[in-house]
Amino acid sequence: VDASGSYTSRYIDDIELFVDGEYSYKVSDVNIGDKVLATFEGSTLMKVEVESHVDGEITDINGDNKMTSASIIKLFVMAAAYDQINKGQVSEANKQTILSNMNDMITISDNTATNNILEALGNGDTAAGRAVVNSYASSQGYSQTSINRDLGQSSRGSVENYTSAKDVSNLLEKIHNGEIDNSEDMLKLLKAQT
């Protein structure tokens, strides 16, 4: 949504960039950074990080700026949950709860499934589960990411969930490159999104 309240679609995939539904240029262009900057220049609402698969150039616009996360926080819940399972930090019953809710949390963005996972991570306490996710995010260097309320709750004042384009990009890159445990499982869930 731009400053006037109008919805503007910006779509980037492995082949082409579309701005407002019109072809703009191929992502394989070597000078992708300059083109992305020109496309989004002056936007204070847009946060984006793009890496060229041709030359590895990374361009970000407001990439380190904290923003409300909406459902993208679920990526960090997923990564923290697998981390806790791998470290043996959850009971067998809580592990089963986490794994049985993971698919719905990621593939259909189910808030109840997310809250069930937070509750299991916190051994029955969603606030403690949020603390587990925040500790994971901090330990992995995701400095702009924090989950401060359950999903589906309306924010109260400054109680909101936050992340940044850079934190999200870094986590997705680690998942894509298999750099964290259960990357294959996470990637499979992400590819199954509806």
Side-chain angles (χ1 to χ4, degrees):
V1 178
D2 66 20
S4 70
S6 299
Y7 177 74
T8 304
S9 174
R10 299 200 186 320
Y11 174 79
I12 299 176
D13 69 12
D14 289 337
I15 301 168
E16 299 171 339
L17 174 71
F18 290 83
V19 178
D20 297 330
E22 296 180 25
Y23 174 74
S24 192
Y25 51 84
K26 291 205 177 284
V27 169
S28 60
D29 290 344
V30 174
N31 295 325
I32 181 100
D34 293 337
K35 292 185 179 187
V36 169
L37 283 173
T39 302
F40 297 110
E41 190 171 36
S43 172
T44 57
L45 298 177
M46 181 61 61
K47 280 96 172 147
V48 64
E49 181 168 301
V50 178
E51 180 176 353
S52 169
H53 293 282
V54 174
D55 61 10
E57 175 189 2
I58 296 176
T59 297
D60 83 34
I61 299 165
N62 303 319
D64 282 326
N65 292 5
K66 185 187 293 190
M67 62 183 176
T68 54
S69 66
S71 285
I72 202 78
I73 198 71
K74 293 171 184 171
L75 292 172
F76 298 94
V77 174
M78 174 177 64
Y82 277 122
D83 181 66
Q84 290 295 291
I85 289 170
N86 291 332
K87 290 179 177 175
Q89 299 295 313
V90 295
S91 69
E92 188 59 34
N94 285 338
K95 175 182 174 182
Q96 293 310 313
T97 297
I98 290 167
L99 294 176
S100 68
N101 282 278
M102 192 72 74
N103 184 67
D104 285 351
M105 177 180 75
I106 297 300
T107 62
I108 62 171
S109 194
D110 187 288
N111 290 339
T112 300
T114 306
N115 294 336
N116 290 340
I117 292 172
L118 291 171
E119 186 175 357
L121 286 173
N123 201 26
D125 179 6
T126 58
R130 291 191 309 268
V132 168
V133 175
N134 290 337
S135 177
Y136 173 82
S138 177
S139 74
Q140 299 301 308
Y142 307 124
S143 61
Q144 300 300 324
T145 299
S146 62
I147 183 166
N148 303 305
R149 63 173 176 83
D150 293 351
L151 274 75
Q153 282 184 338
S154 53
S155 61
R156 290 174 247 152
S158 63
V159 179
E160 189 54 83
N161 300 325
Y162 295 101
T163 193
S164 69
K166 187 175 212 77
D167 285 358
V168 172
S169 177
N170 288 341
L171 176 58
L172 288 173
E173 184 173 18
K174 286 180 181 180
I175 292 170
H176 180 264
N177 292 337
E179 296 174 17
I180 53 179
D181 290 338
N182 296 88
S183 288
E184 283 185 32
D185 296 328
M186 289 187 261
L187 196 55
K188 183 178 177 183
L189 288 169
L190 291 168
K191 287 181 177 182
Q193 290 179 353
T194 55

